[in-house]
Amino acid sequence: MIELRGIARTFRVGDQQVHALRDVDLDIGRGEYLSLMGPSGSGKSTLLNVIGLLDRASGGRYRFCGEDVTDLDDAALAQIRRQRIGFVFQAFHLVPRLTTAQNVAVPLLLGEVPAAERRERVAEQLAAFGLSDRAHHLPEQLSGGQRQRAAIARATIARPEVLLADEPTGNLDRRTGEEVVAVLEKLQQGGLTLIVVTHDPDLGRRATRRLRMQDGRLVADEAGAAAQEGA
Amino acid sequence: MKLRDQLRFAAQNVLAARWRTLWIVLAMAIGTAGVVLLTWLGESGRRYVTDQFASLGTDLVIVLPGRSETTGGAPPILGETARDLTLDDALALQRSHAVRRVAPIQAGSVTVARGNRSREAMVLGSTAELLEVRRLHLAAGAFLPPGDPHRSTPVCVLGATLARELFGNDPVLGAWVRLGDRRFRVIGLLANEGRSLGTDLDEVVVVPVAASMALFDREGMFRVLVEAGSREVVPTVVAHVERSIAARHEGENDVTVITQAAVLGTFDGILRALTLAVAGIAAISLVVAGILVLNVMVVSVTQRRVEVGLLKALGAAPATILQVFLWEAVLLSFLGAGSGLLGSEVVSRVAASFVPELNGDPPAWAAGAALLVAVGIGVAFGTGPAVRAARLDPVAALARR
Ligand SMILES: Nc1ncnc2c1ncn2[C@@H]1O[C@H](COP(=O)(O)OP(=O)(O)OP(=O)(O)O)[C@@H](O)[C@H]1O
Ligand SMILES: [Mg+2]
């Protein structure tokens, strides 16, 4: 469902060209579980942002679900993000002034889902993520794990096809991190395509397909049988 | 995003930043209240002045000696005009069905004395008709006697203040006063009239016109007041006056005719323009409030870069971001303007209870215009920051610090 061909991304810093991505070719099928690893600055986040249509490639072509999205305008890209892509960030990025329920509801607001249906779906989602009793708490009143679960609940409430997680456990301790990973993997088993950027080799090994980046290039792409070894 | 949800989202932002909201609402409120209250003051003033004129009757025609192009200009001084406007000229004006009353007026300053008390006062020489034409009221006694205006009877009517100064608590009616070197008997007392068209009626002494002609040794009238039968026939009266005078002055129409309605219209126009000018100045304070909106919105966008990036990641189109921020600006302006209108309502009620001349409500058009200008300014100054938010690069915004 994701086809990258010769994707490049360059940044201009002063009169220097920074090549964050160089000639990346990548095909990802529906329902796959990928991990993306590599040293800092190797271009992992940049690749994830390009896949998530949050950033535009400087070169190459991108087909998403069979549609060439390389030249779509911002509004069209926003619509695809709204309907088919979910993001999870290391820093959670919950809106501090909104309650858990309100944060989770934001994608439904953007999708113009009627209020009654919205309430119902938010309640279901909060229950599924074990956050029902935190519905009316502000983010600052939640623990790190709860915040990330709320963020994942938000990222998936609009029923996207792809979930992109950039170091989702980076701000969490090991135990909480494992809990969050379990949540993500459960969603993947439900049919979601999951791509996780991580520095944690144990976490990376859990994926069925492991990508490694270096200097803006994909240097390894291996299928691993190690997935679900704990489960 | 639906309009309702956009509004709610914007309202949440406005409420979350309480202090910021308070300041901006205050600034907007002061600007709006300024526009409304100043317009109200101007309008009250205009109404007060025009009411004053109207109380003299809009069916009044004033005839001045000499031809002058600008209405309301000072009448030419004696000797400059080719011909005096005489008492007979004035009386001749009575000969028309359209004319109800005619009151010739001579005016001059003399020393008024009673015993050892004396002071300068304005003498008005006129006829019995003046009472009705100028809508004067008597506190006691009688006004000038009717009868042949050519007869000089040594009687006078005193203004309220002048009488008090000359007589204190002594009885006034029937007493004698000296005007220059002549003696007059006081037959009447004017009620408190206040100023009217530049003459303090409380400080005058009214005598028969023949007496003042002798007193000043002058034939010419200062002016002649002609009261039309009704407002509709004022033009007929004007034509009649011009024809009569021309006939009596060997074909020369050497008088200036002012209608009360024209003076009223002129004043009305001037005061209205003044009101608008003052309201316009007040509107500038709204622009200042708009700059505050700009400042606050810029800060808001900067502080919420991450949130904007997140909204974009969640699939908000640039237009949605723009709208949400614009609604925030509109909401702030609306709250401000609304409080301003409320405030001006309160202030105007309180002020009106102390100053009865300030009657009536602030004009609705001023309130409407102020509201519109306030919201317009909010949108105008909010657009820049909102566009900036809509254009924000989500990757940069979401990047950790
Ligand atoms: N907005 C930008 N302007 C300039 N250079 C950038 C920008 N974003 C990324 N880069 C550069 O692109 C390269 C890849 O960055 P990227 O954030 O994708 O790395 P990463 O693999 O996610 O690193 P980390 O593991 O530290 O998150 C880096 O050299 C980085 O400095
Ligand atoms: Mg990164």
Side-chain angles (χ1 to χ4, degrees):
Chain A
M1 73 184 301
I2 290 169
E3 296 170 46
L4 302 181
R5 290 290 172 270
I7 291 294
R9 178 69 169 106
T10 52
F11 294 101
R12 176 172 284 283
V13 181
D15 47 20
Q16 284 259 309
Q17 291 270 357
V18 178
H19 296 273
L21 295 178
R22 307 170 198 250
D23 195 23
V24 173
D25 292 322
L26 182 60
D27 288 276
I28 301 171
R30 199 174 291 274
E32 277 198 83
Y33 177 13
L34 283 84
S35 68
L36 184 52
M37 298 186 64
S40 190
S42 56
K44 305 182 295 294
S45 297
T46 306
L47 180 59
L48 206 69
N49 289 333
V50 168
I51 291 175
L53 299 173
L54 211 50
D55 199 3
R56 287 171 185 278
S58 323
R61 313 250 10 130
Y62 179 9
R63 291 173 72 83
F64 183 84
C65 293
E67 184 190 3
D68 191 333
V69 295
T70 320
D71 301 319
L72 291 184
D73 67 6
D74 285 352
L77 295 182
Q79 191 186 347
I80 298 177
R81 285 201 300 275
R82 192 158 69 230
Q83 295 171 346
R84 320 179 87 153
I85 298 172
F87 279 96
V88 176
F89 306 94
Q90 178 177 357
F92 320 133
H93 290 320
L94 296 171
V95 181
R97 118 185 129 263
L98 303 181
T99 64
T100 310
Q102 286 169 333
N103 265 292
V104 170
V106 170
L108 300 185
L109 290 183
L110 295 174
E112 307 198 345
V113 173
E117 184 188 341
R118 212 157 65 207
R119 263 194 301 280
E120 205 174 298
R121 276 170 71 176
V122 168
E124 275 173 21
Q125 189 80 344
L126 288 175
F129 285 81
L131 290 166
S132 296
D133 53 343
R134 297 281 182 239
H136 303 296
H137 290 209
L138 291 174
E140 62 187 18
Q141 298 164 325
L142 301 181
S143 73
Q146 286 168 337
R147 285 185 212 185
Q148 196 57 302
R149 271 188 282 151
I152 297 170
R154 180 179 64 190
T156 53
I157 194 168
R159 298 167 190 149
E161 294 153 61
V162 186
L163 186 59
L164 306 172
D166 196 346
E167 299 184 37
T169 61
N171 279 7
L172 303 173
D173 61 45
R174 181 139 211 107
R175 270 188 54 119
T176 324
E178 274 163 14
E179 267 171 48
V180 165
V181 169
V183 170
L184 290 173
E185 286 175 351
K186 211 171 137 204
L187 289 165
Q188 185 265 329
Q189 283 155 27
L192 201 64
T193 309
L194 176 63
I195 307 175
V196 181
V197 169
T198 182
H199 281 290
D200 180 345
D202 289 341
L203 180 51
R205 252 188 312 254
R206 296 173 72 94
T208 48
R209 185 175 167 195
R210 301 190 286 264
L211 303 178
R212 175 160 286 277
M213 290 193 76
Q214 188 127 31
D215 259 347
R217 292 182 203 281
L218 275 178
V219 292
D221 181 351
E222 52 197 37
Q228 322 307 323
E229 65 189 15
Chain B
M1 205 165 170
K2 285 183 184 157
L3 179 65
R4 234 183 55 150
D5 294 326
Q6 286 186 6
L7 276 174
R8 205 209 313 260
F9 198 82
Q12 273 167 341
N13 290 336
V14 167
L15 290 179
R18 239 164 271 152
W19 281 106
R20 194 194 73 172
T21 300
L22 195 74
W23 286 120
I24 204 161
V25 163
L26 194 68
M28 274 281 175
I30 290 172
T32 313
V35 171
V36 173
L37 286 176
L38 286 174
T39 312
W40 175 60
L41 282 179
E43 274 289 290
S44 294
R46 185 183 65 83
R47 213 169 325 121
Y48 178 74
V49 170
T50 51
D51 283 355
Q52 285 277 301
F53 272 97
S55 73
L56 294 173
T58 44
D59 42 8
L60 205 59
V61 175
I62 302 167
V63 186
L64 307 175
R67 187 89 205 153
S68 107
E69 293 307 322
T70 51
T71 54
I77 298 158
L78 188 80
E80 251 180 44
T81 112
R83 225 178 306 259
D84 283 341
L85 184 58
T86 64
L87 178 57
D88 288 325
D89 289 339
L91 297 176
L93 297 180
Q94 218 130 26
R95 282 176 232 124
S96 161
H97 289 299
V99 172
R100 183 182 294 151
R101 299 185 186 90
V102 172
I105 295 180
Q106 260 201 337
S109 184
V110 290
T111 306
V112 186
R114 176 223 168 204
N116 54 6
R117 293 194 208 190
S118 75
R119 51 160 297 176
E120 282 293 305
M122 162 98 91
V123 167
L124 292 183
S126 191
T127 60
E129 312 268 65
L130 184 70
L131 186 72
E132 289 297 327
V133 174
R134 283 295 294 263
R135 312 261 203 276
L136 300 177
H137 305 278
L138 287 173
F143 199 65
L144 300 179
D148 181 7
H150 292 283
R151 230 182 55 222
S152 171
T153 329
V155 294
C156 69
V157 177
L158 293 183
T161 308
L162 185 61
R164 196 168 350 100
E165 282 175 5
L166 291 177
F167 288 88
N169 289 327
D170 299 348
V172 181
L173 295 182
W176 290 83
V177 292
R178 298 185 68 84
L179 301 184
D181 53 0
R182 287 158 200 267
R183 278 159 46 91
F184 288 78
R185 199 159 64 85
V186 182
I187 57 166
L189 211 54
L190 289 176
N192 257 318
E193 298 282 357
R195 292 188 77 85
S196 169
L197 298 191
T199 311
D200 190 345
L201 290 170
D202 294 341
E203 307 251 354
V204 298
V205 44
V206 187
V207 300
V209 64
S212 78
M213 285 162 70
L215 192 64
F216 298 129
D217 189 20
R218 199 195 296 160
E219 287 288 308
M221 294 296 120
F222 171 58
R223 58 183 55 174
V224 178
L225 305 182
V226 182
E227 190 185 331
S230 72
R231 196 170 177 165
E232 287 68 44
V233 298
V234 165
T236 318
V237 170
V238 172
H240 159 71
V241 166
E242 284 172 348
R243 225 178 312 108
S244 313
I245 297 296
R248 297 177 56 83
H249 288 189
E250 291 157 3
E252 221 179 309
N253 177 21
D254 56 357
V255 291
T256 302
V257 180
I258 304 168
T259 64
Q260 188 75 333
V263 176
L264 190 75
T266 307
F267 264 89
D268 203 53
I270 291 171
L271 289 169
R272 196 170 289 251
L274 262 176
T275 300
L276 286 178
V278 169
I281 290 166
I284 291 173
S285 69
L286 274 177
V287 175
V288 174
I291 291 169
L292 209 65
V293 170
L294 174 71
N295 180 42
V296 158
M297 292 302 293
V298 166
V299 171
S300 175
V301 170
T302 310
Q303 279 176 348
R304 282 157 54 200
R305 278 169 59 87
V306 176
E307 181 185 326
V308 172
L310 171 81
L311 287 175
K312 287 196 156 186
L314 293 179
T320 308
I321 307 272
L322 181 83
Q323 284 158 10
V324 168
F325 275 89
L326 265 187
W327 278 123
E328 201 175 322
V330 169
L331 223 60
L332 282 173
S333 318
F334 207 79
L335 272 178
S339 329
L341 293 186
L342 222 72
S344 62
E345 184 68 28
V346 172
V347 171
S348 68
R349 291 249 168 106
V350 172
S353 71
F354 285 109
V355 187
E357 279 83 7
L358 289 171
N359 51 15
D361 286 327
W365 61 264
L371 193 74
L372 241 113
V373 168
V375 173
I377 280 175
V379 171
F381 283 90
T383 300
V387 166
R388 235 187 54 167
R391 290 205 184 134
L392 202 68
D393 172 18
V395 175
L398 287 169
R400 282 158 294 163
R401 279 151 278 263

